[in-house]
Amino acid sequence: MTVAYTVRAVGGQGDLDACFAVRREVFVVEQGVPQEIEYDACDATAVHVLAVREDGVPLGTGRLLLGADAVARTGGDASVGSLGRLAVTGAARGLGVGAALVRAIEDAARERGLAAVDLHAQTHALGFYERLGYAAYGGEFPDAGIPHRAMRKAL
């Protein structure tokens, strides 16, 4: 199945609301992440990206944390951004949306002069990120009760 969609940087409250709706569907409803930890203060300063179908239906989202927001997640290195909250709706999985979102976040990191991107991957998604050039490091750890591994890609 081919579905036409675009990926763009969030351009206003409507786009941000669409990002939050995708995250609620995937993380809160599907995966059982408590809503009170899904949304955080970093949402106000993050670079958000949104994938939307031609008819405007949101298909996926992700965010890039920079500076002080990223440092706690990247081992203290301010030249590394933190990719997170990558979510693709169930109906859009397998269409390449996740990879397109990751590329858009990497492009945003490059535009800001970052040297690398870190992320905390759910362990079931390690292969997805490895195919996109990320390498796992460190041990497994829980986040919202879900096993994760840290990963990094130099830009």
Side-chain angles (χ1 to χ4, degrees):
M1 175 173 71
T2 303
V3 174
Y5 63 89
T6 58
V7 176
R8 64 178 186 246
V10 163
Q13 190 61 48
D15 279 356
L16 193 57
D17 290 345
C19 292
F20 289 164
V22 170
R23 285 169 45 186
R24 182 181 186 289
E25 176 183 333
V26 173
F27 296 126
V28 177
V29 175
E30 187 179 317
Q31 297 183 354
V33 172
Q35 188 159 308
E36 58 273 12
I37 66 171
E38 173 51 34
Y39 309 100
D40 59 26
C42 296
D43 282 322
T45 56
V47 176
H48 296 268
V49 294
L50 176 66
V52 293
R53 209 168 57 193
E54 277 183 324
D55 61 3
V57 172
L59 302 177
T61 187
R63 73 180 188 183
L64 174 67
L65 302 183
L66 307 162
D69 290 338
V71 165
R73 294 168 170 84
T74 63
D77 188 341
S79 73
V80 179
S82 179
L83 183 160
R85 302 303 203 269
L86 189 76
V88 176
T89 62
R93 290 181 195 144
L95 302 176
V97 173
L101 289 163
V102 170
R103 285 191 295 273
I105 290 168
E106 291 170 355
D107 289 345
R110 279 187 202 91
E111 289 167 8
R112 288 157 177 82
L114 298 179
V117 173
D118 255 30
L119 58 88
H120 293 167
Q122 294 182 9
T123 54
H124 72 83
L126 288 172
F128 166 77
Y129 289 110
E130 287 167 347
R131 287 188 295 279
L132 295 174
Y134 288 80
Y137 66 90
E140 188 175 296
F141 60 91
D143 187 358
I146 300 166
H148 284 69
R149 292 272 313 273
M151 301 186 85
R152 179 170 289 186
K153 178 180 179 177
L155 296 177

